């Protein structure tokens, strides 16, 4: 009866006011939506009455922002109203209309700087794949590398209140670090995000050589030891010939330093000797992508050659009663030469080693002739 009262019918003219939105009251005329002359613009309360009388009433009309506000881009009340209706089991809004509603309100929040609340909106998307994609893209746009009390508060809200996986935030920061060409932070956040293989590849291609050349072993060791557990290293491509070689090299240097500081047993020396000789065969396997990588490989080869001399001199040291110290230059040539020959050294390093081996050989001949 009310609808007949505000509409022109064959029985007579309309005699009641149209259910216009509150911001249009007083105009005394019906306002029709653009491109749809069959659907007049009506107040949200009238649409709710229609939904009450017909459970299958079109929700798209009800949730139209202009049935609530003069701003056609203000989806605040529309989105919250839809949440209430869904809780009451009114779920017949089409997927396309629901997507427009979600994206529009999230975009409105994002434009106001409330992007963490836009994540809250996207978390209401029913499709799990679309939900994850929308949240991840939003995090990528807004997660910053600089840490401030505000950023900490927002991240705590996302992880503790909204239960967003922390790995998603770390991955977004890794993308940001890549955009800013910050390889150190990119590797850090790739590790925190659980991307072991990508973190390892970045370390080997961009960070390991600098760490070796500058002897920044603690930095490189921190990454590699965290990647070393079997549940992680088993998922890393070329771990045995790349990351593990660097890690064993650093550990050998530390082991030798420890042995030189304190008195050690023959077992420890034998264990260290095995490690060093193994490195002589494996350093050549390290991939080299540029001149800096080849320089780092050469430095490692020369350092391992010196380590081998020291270890062999410790193993063949004279008795303590003779009061003489081990001399790396008096190591038996037959123990040293086979391993030195396998090391990938440039010509100047190789010539220097050859000169040393020749002197050792001549010394052995002189001692043998006496």
């Amino acid at each position: 009866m009310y609808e007949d009262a505000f509409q022109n019918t064959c029985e007579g003219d309309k005699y009641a006011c149209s259910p216009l939105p509150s911001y249009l009251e007083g105009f005394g005329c019906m306002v029709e939506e653009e491109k749809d002359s069959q659907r007049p613009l009506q107040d949200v309360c009238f649409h709710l009455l229609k939904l009450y009388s017909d459970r299958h009433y079109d929700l798209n009309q009800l949730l139209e922002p202009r049935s609530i506000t003069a701003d056609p881009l203000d989806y605040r009340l529309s989105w919250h109203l839809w949440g209430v209706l869904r809780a009451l089991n009114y779920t017949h809004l089409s997927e396309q209309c629901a997507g427009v509603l979600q994206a529009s309100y999230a975009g409105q929040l994002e434009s106001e700087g409330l992007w963490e609340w836009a994540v809250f909106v996207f978390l209401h998307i029913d499709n799990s794949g679309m939900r994850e994609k929308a949240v991840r893209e939003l995090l990528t746009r807004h997660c910053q590398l600089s840490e401030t009390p505000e950023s900490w508060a927002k991240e705590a809200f996302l992880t503790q209140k909204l239960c967003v996986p922390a790995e998603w935030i770390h991955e977004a920061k890794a993308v940001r670090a890549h955009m800013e060409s910050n390889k150190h932070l990119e590797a850090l956040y790739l590790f925190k995000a659980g991307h072991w293989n990508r973190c390892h590849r970045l370390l080997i291609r961009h960070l390991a050589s600098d760490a070796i050349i500058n002897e920044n072993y603690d930095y490189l060791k921190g990454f590699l030891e965290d990647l070393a557990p079997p549940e992680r290293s088993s998922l890393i491509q070329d771990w045995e010939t790349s990351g593990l070689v660097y890690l064993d090299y650093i550990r050998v240097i530390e082991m030798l330093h420890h042995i030189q500081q304190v008195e050690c047993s023959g077992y420890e020396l034998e264990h260290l000797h095995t490690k060093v000789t193994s490195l002589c065969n494996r350093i050549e396997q390290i991939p080299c992508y540029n001149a800096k990588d080849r320089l780092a490989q050469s430095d490692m080869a020369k350092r391992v050659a010196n380590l081998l001399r020291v270890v062999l001199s410790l193993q063949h040291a004279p008795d303590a009663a003779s009061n003489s110290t081990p001399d790396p230059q008096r190591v038996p040539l037959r123990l040293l030469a086979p391993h030195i020959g396998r090391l990938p050294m440039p010509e100047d390093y190789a010539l220097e080693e050859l000169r040393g081996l020749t002197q050792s050989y001549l010394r052995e001949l002189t001692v043998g002739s006496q």
Side-chain angles (χ1 to χ4, degrees):
M1 290 172 62
Y2 173 59
E3 286 185 283
D4 291 338
F6 69 78
Q7 294 174 348
N8 288 320
T9 63
C10 58
E11 298 178 359
D13 295 333
K14 60 181 181 179
Y15 59 89
C17 293
S18 300
L20 296 174
S22 57
Y23 64 90
L24 290 177
E25 287 182 351
F27 283 84
C29 61
M30 296 183 65
V31 180
E32 296 179 346
E33 291 189 3
E34 297 177 1
K35 299 181 182 180
D36 192 352
S37 59
Q38 302 299 319
R39 185 195 300 175
L41 190 59
Q42 296 170 331
D43 189 79
V44 65
C45 294
F46 178 76
H47 290 302
L48 287 170
L49 290 172
K50 293 284 287 184
L51 180 64
Y52 179 76
S53 62
D54 178 9
R55 187 170 186 85
H56 300 288
Y57 183 71
D58 185 11
L59 290 180
N60 195 31
Q61 291 186 67
L62 191 154
L63 298 172
E64 166 62 39
R66 287 197 295 171
S67 67
I68 302 169
T69 173
D71 185 356
L73 300 179
D74 187 353
Y75 283 84
R76 289 177 294 174
L77 188 55
S78 297
W79 186 83
H80 289 283
L81 182 56
W82 179 55
V84 173
L85 293 176
R86 281 208 303 178
L88 296 173
N89 207 28
Y90 291 96
T91 57
H92 55 279
L93 184 67
S94 69
E95 184 176 349
Q96 180 181 2
C97 293
V100 170
L101 185 58
Q102 298 272 20
S104 299
Y105 186 38
Q108 187 179 352
L109 289 167
E110 191 177 358
S111 67
E112 294 293 330
L114 300 172
W115 63 268
E116 70 276 18
W117 284 104
V119 171
F120 173 76
V121 172
F122 278 143
L123 288 174
H124 289 76
I125 298 175
D126 291 328
N127 185 290
S128 60
M130 293 177 61
R131 180 172 63 245
E132 179 176 341
K133 182 175 183 293
V135 172
R136 282 178 175 268
E137 288 179 351
L138 191 60
L139 292 173
T140 301
R141 287 197 297 273
H142 292 282
C143 284
Q144 300 293 327
L145 298 179
S146 58
E147 296 186 348
T148 62
E150 182 182 2
S151 68
W152 294 334
K154 290 187 176 183
E155 289 180 21
F157 172 74
L158 292 173
T159 56
Q160 298 173 15
K161 297 293 185 180
L162 303 186
C163 297
V164 173
E167 291 78 8
W168 293 7
I169 298 176
H170 296 318
E171 184 175 350
K173 289 187 174 183
V175 173
R176 175 72 61 176
H178 179 76
M179 293 169 58
E180 298 181 5
S181 299
N182 191 329
K183 302 299 183 184
H184 301 281
L185 287 181
E186 184 181 356
L188 175 63
Y189 286 117
L190 282 175
F191 173 79
K192 289 184 176 182
H195 296 301
W196 322 124
N197 194 51
R198 290 171 57 189
C199 177
H200 173 263
R201 184 167 62 247
L202 181 66
L203 278 173
I204 300 304
R205 293 198 176 190
H206 299 286
L207 300 176
S209 295
D210 281 332
I212 293 297
I213 294 171
N214 298 319
E215 297 187 4
N216 192 6
Y217 299 138
D218 290 339
Y219 170 78
L220 185 58
K221 180 186 176 185
F223 272 112
L224 295 175
E225 283 193 331
D226 287 336
L227 294 172
E231 64 273 12
R232 298 175 182 174
S233 60
S234 61
L235 303 175
I236 297 175
Q237 184 179 5
D238 299 328
W239 167 253
E240 298 288 337
T241 59
S242 297
L244 185 58
V245 179
Y246 284 110
L247 182 58
D248 286 345
Y249 171 76
I250 296 171
R251 285 173 172 171
V252 162
I253 292 175
E254 292 179 346
M255 288 172 63
L256 180 60
H257 180 72
H258 172 72
I259 287 174
Q260 290 176 326
Q261 298 296 321
V262 299
E263 187 176 350
C264 62
S265 63
Y267 168 78
E268 290 177 313
L269 279 175
E270 185 62 32
H271 180 63
L272 180 58
H273 177 260
T274 303
K275 289 283 189 181
V276 175
T277 54
S278 173
L279 275 175
C280 292
N281 300 324
R282 295 160 57 206
I283 287 180
E284 190 174 9
Q285 300 173 358
I286 294 176
C288 294
Y289 301 98
N290 50 48
K292 185 184 292 184
D293 293 340
R294 288 189 289 273
L295 174 60
Q297 186 186 53
S298 300
D299 285 350
M300 290 173 67
K302 188 173 183 180
R303 183 76 177 266
V304 167
N306 292 331
L307 290 174
L308 183 59
R309 283 196 182 89
V310 173
V311 172
L312 289 174
S313 67
L314 289 172
Q315 285 185 313
H316 296 82
D319 296 335
S322 63
N323 295 324
S324 59
T325 58
D327 183 4
Q329 300 300 324
R330 296 185 177 276
V331 175
L333 183 63
R334 59 184 173 78
L335 300 177
L336 189 61
H339 301 294
I340 296 295
R342 298 192 185 100
L343 291 170
M345 292 185 286
E347 291 184 2
D348 54 339
Y349 285 8
L351 287 173
E352 183 179 346
E353 292 296 334
L354 179 61
R355 188 180 299 110
L357 291 175
T358 303
Q359 291 174 355
S360 298
Y361 180 64
L362 292 175
R363 189 180 299 112
E364 288 183 18
L365 288 177
T366 303
V367 173
S369 63
Q370 294 175 353

